Amino acid sequence: MPASLLADKRRRAARVALYGGLVALAAVLVVLAAVIDRVLEHQARWGEFDWESLPEVRLLQDYARNPTVAGSELLGAEFLRDVLAEAGVEATLERLGDGSANLWAIVEGASREALVLHHHIDVSPADNPEEWLHPPFDGTVEGPWLYGRGVFDMKSYAVAQLVAFLEVAPAERPPARSLMLLATSDEETDSRLGTQWLLWRHPELVERMWAVYTEGGTVEALTPDDIKYWGIEAFQFQLVRARACSSSRARLEALLEDLSSWPATEIPPALTPELARFFADYHATRSRRLTRLHLGSPETLLFNRRGLDRLPQFARDLMRSSVAPWPIRSDPGGGYSLAINLLLAPGSRPDEALDMLLPAWVRHGVSWRLEAPEGATHGSPVDHPAFRVAAETLRRAYPATAVGSYFLPYNITDGRFFRSHGVDTYGFSPFLFFTTDTVRADQTNERVPLPGFVSGVEIYKDVVRRLVLEP
């Protein structure tokens, strides 16, 4: 081909690529502008409402004003006890140490089996409060948002549970099924003084647990008119805590470097029944055709490495166990240690996972301690009434929205401890919280949109009524 003709073809190709890119960018900007317009429209309408006139909003404000970081949960437990006492409900408050506490209250039903509404009292520390728009423990309402540490994780859940519980408590006759409100400490660290303590020390409560609602659910939404998927968490990874110790900081730094360079592609993908169920619920809601095809036939991904690599990051990560190291720290007695979390796909064996995630060449010359796995090797059944009623209620509230199971990709919740004790547990969030607010959880300026919170309280009440009063 003559050089002049080749150059002309290249110029035409470059123009096509440039104009095509500009067209694609224009399309993205049009879509983005439409989303922003809808958000601004909703914000303007919501901002005119007096949200602080609603009792559930005031209750969330009051709860958020208790700085219940780990070790100070007693403040929150006493707040809950006092609210329950005002309604004539007696609660059990169990103090642990100087500032931690667990609390539970029960509405006795005709059946001793109880639906459990669980939340953790503790919140993440509010570092750098000067960077917040409002003081992190003031529970400030500005426009349609309520700001405060813990309002997303997870005091909004707590208030919905409390309101639903108090609606059942004064009934003239006992409900068909018992109802338990349960608030625990220490979830943001390891739950040793919270859920783990309660499950081991209070078997009389465990034997009554029919099903548990806790955190872990999700909603994918950009605006109230654009809800892509509503997931009820029924499955999550097992957690194994490992600790590497050495007298040499340099050796642990080398270990960190080895772990960062150890490619995930060396870890064979796995497909469990729980994961297959999630993909079956989830795949049709994806925008990309290839993603829909691959997640719709996930068994092919076990040998189709190219297809696996084309999945969104979180979907790829769901098919592999993973390792997550923490920063190196100096030990009080001398030497250094490195905490490492191993997230194991359901059905994995911890000893096999150790060899896979931390091969011998990585571990050489380092002392290791491996704790027992936390969590069950299975998920919770999606045909359980607690799952089914929650899903039906969400579909009724948002008819155009796909609702199904959810597999937590990275986080772990106290649900793993309930499941390991044989209790069916579901991460159920009834709140229409947008993605832009979800990413603020445990971060500076944590907030919740009050329209989604208020409507979520009503959904939670409806679900509890159906399971407890009309089982």
Side-chain angles (χ1 to χ4, degrees), residues 38-53:
R38 290 202 301 271
V39 171
L40 292 176
E41 177 187 347
H42 286 295
Q43 289 180 9
R45 185 170 70 250
W46 293 338
E48 299 172 357
F49 188 81
D50 180 14
W51 295 104
E52 292 180 88
S53 66

Side-chain angles (χ1 to χ4, degrees), residues 145-467:
W145 286 285
L146 193 156
Y147 288 82
R149 171 58 82 232
V151 294
F152 191 104
D153 182 17
M154 62 175 298
K155 290 183 177 179
S156 49
Y157 293 79
V159 170
Q161 293 170 352
L162 184 59
V163 171
F165 182 87
L166 290 176
E167 186 175 83
V168 172
E172 295 181 0
R173 60 178 182 173
R177 178 177 286 120
S178 298
L179 182 63
M180 183 187 305
L181 182 71
L182 177 61
T184 58
S185 290
D186 199 27
E187 191 275 343
E188 297 292 352
T189 51
D190 56 17
S191 298
R192 295 185 190 278
L193 294 179
T195 297
Q196 291 199 71
W197 170 274
L198 184 129
L199 290 171
W200 285 111
R201 297 290 182 171
H202 293 284
E204 76 282 2
L205 296 179
V206 178
E207 60 92 13
R208 300 190 59 176
M209 293 180 178
W210 171 70
V212 173
Y213 283 144
T214 186
E215 64 181 332
T218 188
V219 58
E220 297 180 7
L222 292 176
T223 74
D225 307 319
D226 185 11
I227 307 173
K228 202 165 189 178
Y229 188 75
W230 211 308
I232 301 170
E233 185 269 326
F235 328 112
Q236 59 183 271
F237 289 101
Q238 275 190 298
L239 170 66
V240 174
R241 301 177 194 268
R243 184 171 295 276
C245 301
S246 176
S247 59
S248 168
R249 183 181 183 92
R251 177 63 191 92
L252 294 185
E253 289 173 347
L255 172 61
L256 273 178
E257 186 175 346
D258 289 338
L259 291 176
S260 65
S261 63
W262 181 233
T265 53
E266 295 297 327
I267 302 171
L271 182 66
T272 64
E274 290 91 346
L275 187 55
R277 172 56 194 249
F278 167 56
F279 285 157
D281 291 342
Y282 190 69
H283 78 280
T285 67
R286 300 304 88 194
S287 301
R288 295 181 65 241
R289 176 176 172 274
L290 277 178
T291 301
R292 293 196 301 272
L293 289 174
H294 288 318
L295 295 185
S297 302
E299 63 281 354
T300 63
L301 298 172
L302 297 177
F303 52 85
N304 181 1
R305 184 60 58 86
R306 187 176 181 185
L308 182 64
D309 291 340
R310 288 181 173 181
L311 288 179
Q313 181 70 46
F314 96 99
R316 296 199 303 271
D317 292 344
L318 282 175
M319 296 192 69
R320 291 189 176 103
S321 299
S322 61
V323 56
W326 292 78
I328 298 171
R329 75 176 191 183
S330 301
D331 289 339
Y336 303 90
S337 63
L338 172 65
I340 300 174
N341 288 345
L342 308 179
L343 292 177
L344 309 186
S348 301
R349 291 174 55 88
D351 52 347
E352 295 175 353
L354 178 63
D355 291 335
M356 179 177 62
L357 299 173
L358 301 172
W361 64 269
V362 170
R363 289 182 277 152
H364 180 71
V366 177
S367 299
W368 288 89
R369 186 178 74 216
L370 194 68
E371 297 187 8
E374 297 177 6
T377 58
H378 57 80
S380 297
V382 295
D383 59 352
H384 192 288
F387 183 96
R388 188 177 66 250
V389 169
E392 290 171 355
T393 307
L394 286 171
R395 292 189 189 104
R396 190 166 57 190
Y398 300 96
T401 300
V403 180
S405 63
Y406 192 65
F407 196 125
L408 278 180
Y410 305 111
N411 299 335
I412 50 175
T413 72
D414 277 354
R416 68 191 190 278
F417 299 123
F418 290 108
R419 290 189 184 112
S420 65
H421 278 70
V423 182
D424 294 325
T425 303
Y426 303 93
F428 170 50
S429 173
F431 308 113
L432 181 51
F433 290 164
F434 308 136
T435 304
T436 51
D437 293 313
T438 300
V439 297
R440 293 173 181 257
D442 300 329
Q443 305 298 317
T444 300
N445 296 318
E446 182 176 352
R447 71 184 188 184
V448 293
L450 289 172
F453 166 69
V454 171
S455 61
V457 171
E458 292 303 313
I459 292 173
Y460 217 107
K461 288 163 57 179
D462 191 14
V463 169
V464 171
R465 276 196 300 265
R466 294 179 64 189
L467 288 173

